[in-house]
Amino acid sequence: MTFKPFKVDVAICVKNDAGTLRYVLKRVVRYVPLNRLIVIDGGSDDKSVEIAREFGAEIYLDEGRGLGYARSMALRLVETPIFAFIDGDTFIPKNWFDLIKYFKDPKVAVASGFTFFGPENPVLRALSEYQLQRYKFMSASLSNALLRLKHVKEAGGIREDLPSGEDGALQRKLLAKGFMWIVDRRIISYQPRRLRQHLAHMRWWGRGTRAVGDSVLKPAWFLMKSPVTAIALFLSAHPVLLLYYPMLKLHGYLGYLDEAKAE
C-alpha cells in the first residue's frame, strides 16, 4: 500500500531546460502530491522561467553558481519534512511517488529511482539496461529523489562549491551518519539525451569528481578498465558501445583535468 500521509515540496534546478521542462512539470503536478513547486534557475537565457511560472512555481535565482549551490539553496527554501529533487530534464513515471513507502523506516534519508539516459537512442538505452541489470550497486543521484530534510541537514547539508557530484558527496555524509539511501530499480525515470550530449555530461561529472576531492587515480582507473567493460557491452548490449563506452570514461577523465586546471 502506498504511503501518502502529506504533500511534499518539490525543488527543480534548471538551466536552459525549456525543451523538456514543460513535460517534466506536467508529470510532477500529475504524479506528486504537491505542497510547493520551487524552481531554482541557474541563469537560463531560454524560456525556462516563463514555463515554470505557467505552473505556478516559485522562482529563485542562484546567480549561476552551480548545481551544488542551487541544491543547497533549495534546502533553505523547502518546508515539508520530506521533499523532492526532480531535475528539469527528468521525466518521472506514474509510480514515482511510491518511493514514499521507504520513509516508514526512520533511518532512510533518501529514496531515488533509476535514470535511463537517452532512452530514445538505442545505444544509450542499451547501456542503461545493462547497468540496471548487471550493476549490483547503483550510483547516488538527486535527479529524481525524495529526501528527509532533517537527516540531510544533520549530515551537514549539500556542498555549495561542487559543480557536479554533489549527490555522491551527500551520500557519503549520510552513510557516515548511519542513514540509508535507497535506489529502487523498479522506478525508472528518463532523461532525453543524444550521444554527444551524454559525452558532455560525463565531462561535467568528471569536474565534480575532482572538486569532491577524489584522487586522479579514480577516473584514471575507470578509463584504464573501460576497454574490458566495453567488450562485455559489445557482446551483450550494443556493438557501438565497444567504442563509445571508453569515450565516456575518457570524457570523465578530461573533466577531472579541466577542474584541476581551473584550480
mmCIF file of all heavy atoms in Angstrom, residues 10-50:
data_model
loop_
_atom_site.group_PDB
_atom_site.id
_atom_site.type_symbol
_atom_site.label_atom_id
_atom_site.label_comp_id
_atom_site.label_asym_id
_atom_site.label_seq_id
_atom_site.Cartn_x
_atom_site.Cartn_y
_atom_site.Cartn_z
ATOM 1 N N VAL A 10 8.535 20.294 -3.888
ATOM 2 C CA VAL A 10 9.373 19.780 -4.981
ATOM 3 C C VAL A 10 10.282 20.905 -5.458
ATOM 4 O O VAL A 10 9.801 21.987 -5.828
ATOM 5 C CB VAL A 10 8.523 19.259 -6.156
ATOM 6 C CG1 VAL A 10 9.421 18.840 -7.319
ATOM 7 C CG2 VAL A 10 7.659 18.086 -5.713
ATOM 8 N N ALA A 11 11.585 20.663 -5.428
ATOM 9 C CA ALA A 11 12.575 21.636 -5.892
ATOM 10 C C ALA A 11 13.154 21.165 -7.217
ATOM 11 O O ALA A 11 13.609 20.022 -7.333
ATOM 12 C CB ALA A 11 13.684 21.802 -4.850
ATOM 13 N N ILE A 12 13.130 22.042 -8.195
ATOM 14 C CA ILE A 12 13.632 21.723 -9.534
ATOM 15 C C ILE A 12 14.697 22.745 -9.905
ATOM 16 O O ILE A 12 14.427 23.946 -9.982
ATOM 17 C CB ILE A 12 12.498 21.731 -10.563
ATOM 18 C CG1 ILE A 12 11.419 20.710 -10.162
ATOM 19 C CG2 ILE A 12 13.037 21.435 -11.964
ATOM 20 C CD1 ILE A 12 10.274 20.603 -11.131
ATOM 21 N N CYS A 13 15.929 22.252 -10.116
ATOM 22 C CA CYS A 13 17.042 23.115 -10.514
ATOM 23 C C CYS A 13 17.131 23.097 -12.038
ATOM 24 O O CYS A 13 17.244 22.020 -12.637
ATOM 25 C CB CYS A 13 18.350 22.631 -9.890
ATOM 26 S SG CYS A 13 18.306 22.546 -8.083
ATOM 27 N N VAL A 14 17.093 24.270 -12.644
ATOM 28 C CA VAL A 14 17.068 24.332 -14.104
ATOM 29 C C VAL A 14 18.119 25.297 -14.631
ATOM 30 O O VAL A 14 18.540 26.230 -13.951
ATOM 31 C CB VAL A 14 15.675 24.760 -14.627
ATOM 32 C CG1 VAL A 14 14.590 23.859 -14.082
ATOM 33 C CG2 VAL A 14 15.375 26.211 -14.276
ATOM 34 N N LYS A 15 18.524 25.039 -15.852
ATOM 35 C CA LYS A 15 19.329 25.989 -16.623
ATOM 36 C C LYS A 15 19.165 25.643 -18.092
ATOM 37 O O LYS A 15 19.639 24.610 -18.563
ATOM 38 C CB LYS A 15 20.803 25.966 -16.226
ATOM 39 C CG LYS A 15 21.608 27.058 -16.950
ATOM 40 C CD LYS A 15 23.035 27.151 -16.463
ATOM 41 C CE LYS A 15 23.769 28.281 -17.163
ATOM 42 N NZ LYS A 15 25.172 28.413 -16.717
ATOM 43 N N ASN A 16 18.434 26.481 -18.796
ATOM 44 C CA ASN A 16 18.162 26.285 -20.227
ATOM 45 C C ASN A 16 17.528 24.922 -20.499
ATOM 46 O O ASN A 16 17.979 24.176 -21.371
ATOM 47 C CB ASN A 16 19.449 26.454 -21.035
ATOM 48 C CG ASN A 16 19.974 27.878 -20.999
ATOM 49 O OD1 ASN A 16 19.200 28.836 -20.908
ATOM 50 N ND2 ASN A 16 21.280 28.037 -21.061
ATOM 51 N N ASP A 17 16.467 24.628 -19.753
ATOM 52 C CA ASP A 17 15.755 23.362 -19.903
ATOM 53 C C ASP A 17 14.392 23.542 -20.564
ATOM 54 O O ASP A 17 13.493 22.709 -20.391
ATOM 55 C CB ASP A 17 15.566 22.702 -18.532
ATOM 56 C CG ASP A 17 16.852 22.151 -17.957
ATOM 57 O OD1 ASP A 17 17.613 21.529 -18.721
ATOM 58 O OD2 ASP A 17 17.109 22.351 -16.758
ATOM 59 N N ALA A 18 14.219 24.606 -21.349
ATOM 60 C CA ALA A 18 12.917 24.882 -21.946
ATOM 61 C C ALA A 18 12.428 23.739 -22.829
ATOM 62 O O ALA A 18 11.221 23.515 -22.951
ATOM 63 C CB ALA A 18 12.975 26.184 -22.757
ATOM 64 N N GLY A 19 13.345 23.018 -23.429
ATOM 65 C CA GLY A 19 12.958 21.926 -24.319
ATOM 66 C C GLY A 19 12.295 20.761 -23.617
ATOM 67 O O GLY A 19 11.558 19.991 -24.256
ATOM 68 N N THR A 20 12.527 20.621 -22.310
ATOM 69 C CA THR A 20 11.966 19.485 -21.573
ATOM 70 C C THR A 20 11.091 19.896 -20.396
ATOM 71 O O THR A 20 10.286 19.097 -19.911
ATOM 72 C CB THR A 20 13.100 18.595 -21.022
ATOM 73 O OG1 THR A 20 13.990 19.410 -20.218
ATOM 74 C CG2 THR A 20 13.889 17.951 -22.150
ATOM 75 N N LEU A 21 11.254 21.119 -19.910
ATOM 76 C CA LEU A 21 10.678 21.498 -18.621
ATOM 77 C C LEU A 21 9.158 21.374 -18.572
ATOM 78 O O LEU A 21 8.603 20.936 -17.561
ATOM 79 C CB LEU A 21 11.105 22.923 -18.264
ATOM 80 C CG LEU A 21 10.721 23.404 -16.865
ATOM 81 C CD1 LEU A 21 11.289 22.486 -15.791
ATOM 82 C CD2 LEU A 21 11.200 24.841 -16.638
ATOM 83 N N ARG A 22 8.463 21.757 -19.646
ATOM 84 C CA ARG A 22 7.008 21.678 -19.615
ATOM 85 C C ARG A 22 6.540 20.234 -19.402
ATOM 86 O O ARG A 22 5.606 19.974 -18.621
ATOM 87 C CB ARG A 22 6.414 22.254 -20.898
ATOM 88 C CG ARG A 22 4.898 22.187 -20.936
ATOM 89 C CD ARG A 22 4.289 22.937 -22.104
ATOM 90 N NE ARG A 22 4.264 24.390 -21.879
ATOM 91 C CZ ARG A 22 5.056 25.252 -22.482
ATOM 92 N NH1 ARG A 22 5.959 24.817 -23.355
ATOM 93 N NH2 ARG A 22 4.966 26.539 -22.224
ATOM 94 N N TYR A 23 7.195 19.292 -20.059
ATOM 95 C CA TYR A 23 6.821 17.888 -19.916
ATOM 96 C C TYR A 23 7.175 17.363 -18.519
ATOM 97 O O TYR A 23 6.444 16.564 -17.941
ATOM 98 C CB TYR A 23 7.524 17.055 -20.990
ATOM 99 C CG TYR A 23 7.227 17.550 -22.390
ATOM 100 C CD1 TYR A 23 8.141 18.338 -23.086
ATOM 101 C CD2 TYR A 23 6.015 17.248 -23.018
ATOM 102 C CE1 TYR A 23 7.866 18.811 -24.365
ATOM 103 C CE2 TYR A 23 5.736 17.709 -24.298
ATOM 104 C CZ TYR A 23 6.667 18.487 -24.960
ATOM 105 O OH TYR A 23 6.381 18.956 -26.220
ATOM 106 N N VAL A 24 8.289 17.844 -18.001
ATOM 107 C CA VAL A 24 8.693 17.473 -16.641
ATOM 108 C C VAL A 24 7.648 17.944 -15.635
ATOM 109 O O VAL A 24 7.194 17.184 -14.764
ATOM 110 C CB VAL A 24 10.075 18.077 -16.302
ATOM 111 C CG1 VAL A 24 10.388 17.906 -14.814
ATOM 112 C CG2 VAL A 24 11.163 17.418 -17.144
ATOM 113 N N LEU A 25 7.251 19.204 -15.740
ATOM 114 C CA LEU A 25 6.317 19.787 -14.776
ATOM 115 C C LEU A 25 4.923 19.177 -14.895
ATOM 116 O O LEU A 25 4.219 19.026 -13.887
ATOM 117 C CB LEU A 25 6.261 21.296 -14.952
ATOM 118 C CG LEU A 25 7.563 22.040 -14.605
ATOM 119 C CD1 LEU A 25 7.419 23.528 -14.875
ATOM 120 C CD2 LEU A 25 7.943 21.809 -13.151
ATOM 121 N N LYS A 26 4.514 18.825 -16.101
ATOM 122 C CA LYS A 26 3.217 18.159 -16.263
ATOM 123 C C LYS A 26 3.185 16.856 -15.473
ATOM 124 O O LYS A 26 2.172 16.514 -14.836
ATOM 125 C CB LYS A 26 2.949 17.876 -17.745
ATOM 126 C CG LYS A 26 2.506 19.087 -18.541
ATOM 127 C CD LYS A 26 2.213 18.700 -19.991
ATOM 128 C CE LYS A 26 1.719 19.906 -20.790
ATOM 129 N NZ LYS A 26 1.436 19.547 -22.210
ATOM 130 N N ARG A 27 4.284 16.128 -15.492
ATOM 131 C CA ARG A 27 4.350 14.870 -14.748
ATOM 132 C C ARG A 27 4.418 15.117 -13.242
ATOM 133 O O ARG A 27 3.825 14.379 -12.463
ATOM 134 C CB ARG A 27 5.560 14.056 -15.219
ATOM 135 C CG ARG A 27 5.373 13.457 -16.604
ATOM 136 C CD ARG A 27 6.645 12.829 -17.143
ATOM 137 N NE ARG A 27 6.380 12.179 -18.407
ATOM 138 C CZ ARG A 27 6.126 10.884 -18.567
ATOM 139 N NH1 ARG A 27 6.120 10.097 -17.495
ATOM 140 N NH2 ARG A 27 5.895 10.360 -19.737
ATOM 141 N N VAL A 28 5.140 16.147 -12.858
ATOM 142 C CA VAL A 28 5.256 16.454 -11.428
ATOM 143 C C VAL A 28 3.885 16.783 -10.834
ATOM 144 O O VAL A 28 3.497 16.233 -9.797
ATOM 145 C CB VAL A 28 6.243 17.613 -11.190
ATOM 146 C CG1 VAL A 28 6.158 18.107 -9.760
ATOM 147 C CG2 VAL A 28 7.669 17.157 -11.504
ATOM 148 N N VAL A 29 3.149 17.677 -11.479
ATOM 149 C CA VAL A 29 1.851 18.087 -10.918
ATOM 150 C C VAL A 29 0.831 16.951 -10.994
ATOM 151 O O VAL A 29 -0.124 16.916 -10.205
ATOM 152 C CB VAL A 29 1.305 19.350 -11.609
ATOM 153 C CG1 VAL A 29 2.260 20.516 -11.421
ATOM 154 C CG2 VAL A 29 1.054 19.116 -13.090
ATOM 155 N N ARG A 30 1.038 16.016 -11.910
ATOM 156 C CA ARG A 30 0.097 14.901 -12.046
ATOM 157 C C ARG A 30 0.410 13.764 -11.072
ATOM 158 O O ARG A 30 -0.517 13.153 -10.519
ATOM 159 C CB ARG A 30 0.142 14.369 -13.479
ATOM 160 C CG ARG A 30 -0.844 13.235 -13.761
ATOM 161 C CD ARG A 30 -0.755 12.792 -15.205
ATOM 162 N NE ARG A 30 -1.070 13.890 -16.118
ATOM 163 C CZ ARG A 30 -0.948 13.810 -17.433
ATOM 164 N NH1 ARG A 30 -0.471 12.702 -17.988
ATOM 165 N NH2 ARG A 30 -1.263 14.841 -18.191
ATOM 166 N N TYR A 31 1.686 13.498 -10.836
ATOM 167 C CA TYR A 31 2.060 12.287 -10.101
ATOM 168 C C TYR A 31 2.556 12.527 -8.677
ATOM 169 O O TYR A 31 2.758 11.574 -7.929
ATOM 170 C CB TYR A 31 3.146 11.533 -10.871
ATOM 171 C CG TYR A 31 2.739 11.105 -12.261
ATOM 172 C CD1 TYR A 31 3.650 11.137 -13.320
ATOM 173 C CD2 TYR A 31 1.446 10.677 -12.526
ATOM 174 C CE1 TYR A 31 3.288 10.746 -14.593
ATOM 175 C CE2 TYR A 31 1.069 10.286 -13.806
ATOM 176 C CZ TYR A 31 1.990 10.319 -14.834
ATOM 177 O OH TYR A 31 1.621 9.928 -16.092
ATOM 178 N N VAL A 32 2.780 13.787 -8.297
ATOM 179 C CA VAL A 32 3.321 14.076 -6.967
ATOM 180 C C VAL A 32 2.332 14.939 -6.188
ATOM 181 O O VAL A 32 1.868 15.956 -6.711
ATOM 182 C CB VAL A 32 4.681 14.809 -7.070
ATOM 183 C CG1 VAL A 32 5.251 15.063 -5.674
ATOM 184 C CG2 VAL A 32 5.664 14.005 -7.909
ATOM 185 N N PRO A 33 2.002 14.572 -4.940
ATOM 186 C CA PRO A 33 1.121 15.417 -4.124
ATOM 187 C C PRO A 33 1.864 16.675 -3.675
ATOM 188 O O PRO A 33 2.608 16.662 -2.699
ATOM 189 C CB PRO A 33 0.749 14.515 -2.948
ATOM 190 C CG PRO A 33 1.872 13.543 -2.842
ATOM 191 C CD PRO A 33 2.372 13.324 -4.235
ATOM 192 N N LEU A 34 1.654 17.758 -4.383
ATOM 193 C CA LEU A 34 2.460 18.966 -4.228
ATOM 194 C C LEU A 34 2.020 19.836 -3.064
ATOM 195 O O LEU A 34 0.831 20.096 -2.883
ATOM 196 C CB LEU A 34 2.390 19.803 -5.494
ATOM 197 C CG LEU A 34 3.408 19.551 -6.602
ATOM 198 C CD1 LEU A 34 3.059 20.412 -7.806
ATOM 199 C CD2 LEU A 34 4.808 19.862 -6.125
ATOM 200 N N ASN A 35 2.990 20.307 -2.315
ATOM 201 C CA ASN A 35 2.778 21.399 -1.384
ATOM 202 C C ASN A 35 3.212 22.705 -2.065
ATOM 203 O O ASN A 35 2.396 23.571 -2.332
ATOM 204 C CB ASN A 35 3.543 21.174 -0.093
ATOM 205 C CG ASN A 35 3.321 22.282 0.923
ATOM 206 O OD1 ASN A 35 2.192 22.597 1.261
ATOM 207 N ND2 ASN A 35 4.403 22.897 1.387
ATOM 208 N N ARG A 36 4.511 22.806 -2.384
ATOM 209 C CA ARG A 36 5.039 23.964 -3.114
ATOM 210 C C ARG A 36 5.916 23.468 -4.255
ATOM 211 O O ARG A 36 6.642 22.483 -4.099
ATOM 212 C CB ARG A 36 5.879 24.852 -2.199
ATOM 213 C CG ARG A 36 5.095 25.519 -1.079
ATOM 214 C CD ARG A 36 6.037 26.019 -0.003
ATOM 215 N NE ARG A 36 6.956 27.044 -0.492
ATOM 216 C CZ ARG A 36 8.200 27.202 -0.025
ATOM 217 N NH1 ARG A 36 8.697 26.390 0.896
ATOM 218 N NH2 ARG A 36 8.964 28.173 -0.487
ATOM 219 N N LEU A 37 5.857 24.170 -5.366
ATOM 220 C CA LEU A 37 6.729 23.898 -6.500
ATOM 221 C C LEU A 37 7.772 25.006 -6.551
ATOM 222 O O LEU A 37 7.435 26.173 -6.778
ATOM 223 C CB LEU A 37 5.924 23.858 -7.798
ATOM 224 C CG LEU A 37 6.709 23.598 -9.088
ATOM 225 C CD1 LEU A 37 7.434 22.263 -9.022
ATOM 226 C CD2 LEU A 37 5.770 23.638 -10.293
ATOM 227 N N ILE A 38 9.020 24.646 -6.324
ATOM 228 C CA ILE A 38 10.119 25.606 -6.222
ATOM 229 C C ILE A 38 11.080 25.379 -7.388
ATOM 230 O O ILE A 38 11.609 24.271 -7.557
ATOM 231 C CB ILE A 38 10.866 25.444 -4.886
ATOM 232 C CG1 ILE A 38 9.914 25.709 -3.710
ATOM 233 C CG2 ILE A 38 12.087 26.346 -4.824
ATOM 234 C CD1 ILE A 38 10.468 25.290 -2.368
ATOM 235 N N VAL A 39 11.295 26.392 -8.176
ATOM 236 C CA VAL A 39 12.232 26.294 -9.309
ATOM 237 C C VAL A 39 13.395 27.236 -9.055
ATOM 238 O O VAL A 39 13.204 28.435 -8.825
ATOM 239 C CB VAL A 39 11.539 26.629 -10.642
ATOM 240 C CG1 VAL A 39 12.571 26.786 -11.762
ATOM 241 C CG2 VAL A 39 10.536 25.536 -11.004
ATOM 242 N N ILE A 40 14.594 26.677 -9.094
ATOM 243 C CA ILE A 40 15.813 27.468 -8.908
ATOM 244 C C ILE A 40 16.528 27.537 -10.246
ATOM 245 O O ILE A 40 16.961 26.506 -10.788
ATOM 246 C CB ILE A 40 16.708 26.844 -7.826
ATOM 247 C CG1 ILE A 40 15.932 26.789 -6.500
ATOM 248 C CG2 ILE A 40 17.997 27.639 -7.669
ATOM 249 C CD1 ILE A 40 16.660 26.095 -5.388
ATOM 250 N N ASP A 41 16.631 28.734 -10.775
ATOM 251 C CA ASP A 41 17.182 28.920 -12.117
ATOM 252 C C ASP A 41 18.641 29.355 -12.050
ATOM 253 O O ASP A 41 19.010 30.252 -11.292
ATOM 254 C CB ASP A 41 16.366 29.964 -12.878
ATOM 255 C CG ASP A 41 16.879 30.156 -14.288
ATOM 256 O OD1 ASP A 41 16.705 29.232 -15.106
ATOM 257 O OD2 ASP A 41 17.475 31.209 -14.567
ATOM 258 N N GLY A 42 19.458 28.700 -12.881
ATOM 259 C CA GLY A 42 20.896 28.972 -12.881
ATOM 260 C C GLY A 42 21.344 29.960 -13.917
ATOM 261 O O GLY A 42 22.515 29.962 -14.322
ATOM 262 N N GLY A 43 20.429 30.821 -14.383
ATOM 263 C CA GLY A 43 20.797 31.830 -15.374
ATOM 264 C C GLY A 43 20.365 31.464 -16.775
ATOM 265 O O GLY A 43 21.101 31.701 -17.745
ATOM 266 N N SER A 44 19.185 30.896 -16.913
ATOM 267 C CA SER A 44 18.684 30.482 -18.229
ATOM 268 C C SER A 44 18.495 31.680 -19.144
ATOM 269 O O SER A 44 18.038 32.745 -18.711
ATOM 270 C CB SER A 44 17.350 29.745 -18.079
ATOM 271 O OG SER A 44 17.498 28.562 -17.323
ATOM 272 N N ASP A 45 18.825 31.489 -20.425
ATOM 273 C CA ASP A 45 18.549 32.532 -21.414
ATOM 274 C C ASP A 45 17.521 32.035 -22.435
ATOM 275 O O ASP A 45 17.399 32.576 -23.528
ATOM 276 C CB ASP A 45 19.832 33.002 -22.111
ATOM 277 C CG ASP A 45 20.623 31.858 -22.731
ATOM 278 O OD1 ASP A 45 20.063 30.758 -22.899
ATOM 279 O OD2 ASP A 45 21.807 32.068 -23.048
ATOM 280 N N ASP A 46 16.792 30.975 -22.046
ATOM 281 C CA ASP A 46 15.686 30.499 -22.874
ATOM 282 C C ASP A 46 14.378 30.775 -22.125
ATOM 283 O O ASP A 46 14.323 31.671 -21.300
ATOM 284 C CB ASP A 46 15.854 29.014 -23.229
ATOM 285 C CG ASP A 46 15.872 28.113 -21.997
ATOM 286 O OD1 ASP A 46 15.627 28.620 -20.873
ATOM 287 O OD2 ASP A 46 16.115 26.906 -22.145
ATOM 288 N N LYS A 47 13.333 30.010 -22.372
ATOM 289 C CA LYS A 47 12.029 30.270 -21.760
ATOM 290 C C LYS A 47 11.759 29.418 -20.524
ATOM 291 O O LYS A 47 10.596 29.241 -20.132
ATOM 292 C CB LYS A 47 10.926 30.060 -22.799
ATOM 293 C CG LYS A 47 10.970 31.068 -23.942
ATOM 294 C CD LYS A 47 9.782 30.904 -24.863
ATOM 295 C CE LYS A 47 9.801 31.967 -25.962
ATOM 296 N NZ LYS A 47 8.625 31.839 -26.860
ATOM 297 N N SER A 48 12.817 28.896 -19.882
ATOM 298 C CA SER A 48 12.630 28.029 -18.717
ATOM 299 C C SER A 48 11.823 28.702 -17.614
ATOM 300 O O SER A 48 10.892 28.113 -17.052
ATOM 301 C CB SER A 48 13.994 27.594 -18.159
ATOM 302 O OG SER A 48 14.678 26.760 -19.058
ATOM 303 N N VAL A 49 12.169 29.936 -17.291
ATOM 304 C CA VAL A 49 11.484 30.641 -16.202
ATOM 305 C C VAL A 49 10.026 30.901 -16.569
ATOM 306 O O VAL A 49 9.126 30.743 -15.726
ATOM 307 C CB VAL A 49 12.212 31.957 -15.869
ATOM 308 C CG1 VAL A 49 11.398 32.791 -14.889
ATOM 309 C CG2 VAL A 49 13.594 31.653 -15.281
ATOM 310 N N GLU A 50 9.769 31.275 -17.823
ATOM 311 C CA GLU A 50 8.389 31.519 -18.252
ATOM 312 C C GLU A 50 7.550 30.252 -18.126
ATOM 313 O O GLU A 50 6.396 30.293 -17.669
ATOM 314 C CB GLU A 50 8.375 32.003 -19.703
ATOM 315 C CG GLU A 50 9.018 33.359 -19.924
ATOM 316 C CD GLU A 50 9.058 33.729 -21.392
ATOM 317 O OE1 GLU A 50 8.115 33.338 -22.122
ATOM 318 O OE2 GLU A 50 10.023 34.392 -21.813
#
